[in-house]
Amino acid sequence: MKVLICIGHVPDTTSKIRFTDNDTKFDKSDIQYIVGPYEELGLTRLLELKEAKKIKTITAINVGLKETEATLRKALAIGADNAVRVDANPTDALFVAKQIAEVCKKDNYDIVITGKESIDYNGGQVGEMIAEYLGVPSISSTAKLDLDGDKATLVREIDGGKEVIETSIPFVATAQKGFAAEPRIPSMRGIMQARRKKLAVVAAVSQDEKTKTTKHFLPEAKAACKMVDADNVGELVRLLNEEAKVI
Amino acid sequence: MAVLVYTENWDGKFKKATYELLSYANEIAKNTGNETVAITVGNVSDEELKKLGQYGAVKVLVNKEEKFAKFTAQAYSTLLADAAKAQSANFVIFANSYSGRALAPRVSVKLDASLAPGAIQLPTSYEPFVIKKKAYSGKAFVDYELTGDVKVLTLNQNSFKIVEDTKKIVIEEYTTDVADNEFVAKVVDVQKETGKLSVTDAEILVSGGRGLKGPENWGMLEEMAEILGAGICCSRPVSDLDWRPHSEHVGQTGKVVAPNLYIAIGVSGAIQHLAGVNSSKVMVVINNDPEAPFFEAADYGIVGDAFEVVPKLNEALKNFKAS
Ligand SMILES: Cc1cc2nc3c(=O)[nH]c(=O)nc-3n(C[C@H](O)[C@H](O)[C@H](O)COP(=O)(O)OP(=O)(O)OC[C@H]3O[C@@H](n4cnc5c(N)ncnc54)[C@H](O)[C@@H]3O)c2cc1C
């Protein structure tokens, strides 16, 4: 069983967000990049399944410029067997999905895992788009994955509950909270081994751009918090009713 | 030409969110000279389907076939994309819900369309077509231009008001050929949370953090939720510690919510928590630490011990509701 996991190269969750070039671009200076938190969960679960001998190899993939190799190395240090970087500056989700689908067609992966969304543009589209390009099932917002030979059981979050889904390989699933309990972090030994693992660089295929991010904005500064005395909770009720009009 | 809207139903019924979505789609239809057409899958009565006519739909396509009774993303997206083609739709609009997010990307690939996930308002411009959406987990916004001829959008919850626009609505049974292998992924069980207001549906949310010390102290939050008709949610450590179910966890790695009122009790307001709640219209924080970061994000705040403030606030709310 060969599995591909799509690794997002995203700003650390505590990053201060700034823009440059007249607010058309994200300012990468002073930003610490990490493996996306959902992809971390995805990779962790795959490692558990590999240890249980249900998966043979785990390949990490990213579509990005050379700078993203550090993030792929981190995925290798956590435990992925090898990595692929598609050499391109990704323009939009469709572009990324197309590149990954091309790699899948060539190398025949049985399962593709992505995070449920990237934490920068919060698109949440890549996994489903890959599935569509490949013509295979997609299971979104997956909170559990188990394998039994060629069969998989997944739990998907839905509005107001959960669904249990059975499918067979090949398929794409997007990982969310619950996919693994705690994300694994690289060990010293993992970091040493990662240096020797294979990181292949492949060329991108062409894909028309369908969307463009034309401008970035920071939220408008909000008014200061109105403080209410703890001994005067009635005042809060009045404000919520008369001023905020929410009760 | 048409704006096609996927109006999901829950056991044959629509929700308020359905009408908000339809109103939004209808507004885009009016501004682009299109008709508004709805599509739904399942056993929905004619009476229920007709309600869609109050919010601008001139037609509703309904599929009641047994093979589509359970959601499966691959087959559903073929059904929807074929409907979009048959209706010559130049817009396909979904809710930014679990099912909308599962379908919209697949449908956009099938239609060779541009996709904007998570629109928060009407387009800022039609020529070029620009949608404003959140990015960096609510720490920023972006203008997103869609250049394709066909455009697929998902609309964030609670971001558009219902607008009535009564039309004479036609109900049409609809189906298309979908290959058997598109039904490979099968739902074998559905576990519904019963009797509780779901976190993403609630218009008011009462949220508890680690400051509440233990699961036994949630009674006063439940009481507040009861008085306000609110839902209950929590911070990540609270669900990690199993004080509350995981379905209640909100934030960057949990659910993203946008209620009209969010009341945070004993929650510090870490950036990852705020990422999931900062689209709330009004935020109230109750925390005994005046330095808690939540006070910078909130609209109203009380510095005080939750175990003293909340019971008093519940009394005041009860009196207000009774008056
Ligand atoms: C990658 C990543 C993702 C994350 N995702 C999420 C997420 O999705 N959601 C999330 O919530 N967190 C998330 N976190 C964790 C986040 O950083 C915080 O640790 C967490 O939100 C803190 O939860 P808390 O506010 O309940 O607890 P604490 O930070 O422990 O805060 C408790 C608060 O209660 C107050 N308090 C204590 N006693 C009382 C009292 N008697 N009365 C009133 N107030 C009192 C304290 O002053 C304090 O402010 C994430 C972290 C990382 C690194």
Side-chain angles (χ1 to χ4, degrees), chain B residues 181-255:
Chain B
N181 66 3
E182 299 205 3
F183 293 91
V184 171
K186 285 198 170 60
V187 174
V188 292
D189 189 21
V190 181
Q191 298 157 3
K192 288 233 170 80
E193 293 158 18
T194 45
K196 270 202 302 186
L197 189 53
S198 99
V199 172
T200 41
D201 275 345
E203 291 184 11
I204 300 180
L205 278 173
V206 178
S207 177
R210 194 152 50 185
L212 289 172
K213 313 273 190 284
E216 66 281 5
N217 296 324
W218 248 259
M220 59 186 189
L221 270 65
E222 274 157 6
E223 188 185 353
M224 186 184 289
E226 170 93 40
I227 301 167
L228 291 171
I232 292 188
C233 62
C234 66
S235 69
R236 179 162 109 172
V238 167
S239 71
D240 284 352
L241 290 162
D242 271 334
W243 293 358
R244 299 293 300 181
H246 285 283
S247 56
E248 292 182 6
H249 159 200
V250 296
Q252 178 136 35
T253 47
K255 290 203 168 82

Side-chain angles (χ1 to χ4, degrees), chain A residues 38 120-121 157 177 210 243, chain B residues 114 133 136 249 252 300:
Chain A
Y38 304 110
D120 48 7
Y121 287 96
E157 176 121 12
K177 179 188 161 109
K210 291 272 182 206
E243 190 179 83
Chain B
S114 295
K133 70 180 281 296
Y136 297 95
H249 159 200
Q252 178 136 35
Y300 300 99

Side-chain angles (χ1 to χ4, degrees), chain B residues 116-166:
Chain B
I120 54 171
Q121 58 190 40
L122 284 171
T124 27
S125 130
Y126 284 90
E127 296 278 347
F129 191 87
V130 179
I131 283 288
K132 196 171 182 186
K133 70 180 281 296
K134 291 205 286 177
Y136 297 95
S137 305
K139 285 190 265 182
F141 295 93
V142 293
D143 268 350
Y144 205 57
E145 187 182 327
L146 305 189
T147 50
D149 294 334
V150 179
K151 298 169 181 72
V152 177
L153 313 178
T154 72
L155 175 70
N156 274 7
Q157 288 228 8
N158 205 14
S159 48
F160 202 74
K161 282 224 154 57
I162 291 179
V163 186
E164 295 214 12
D165 179 14
T166 305

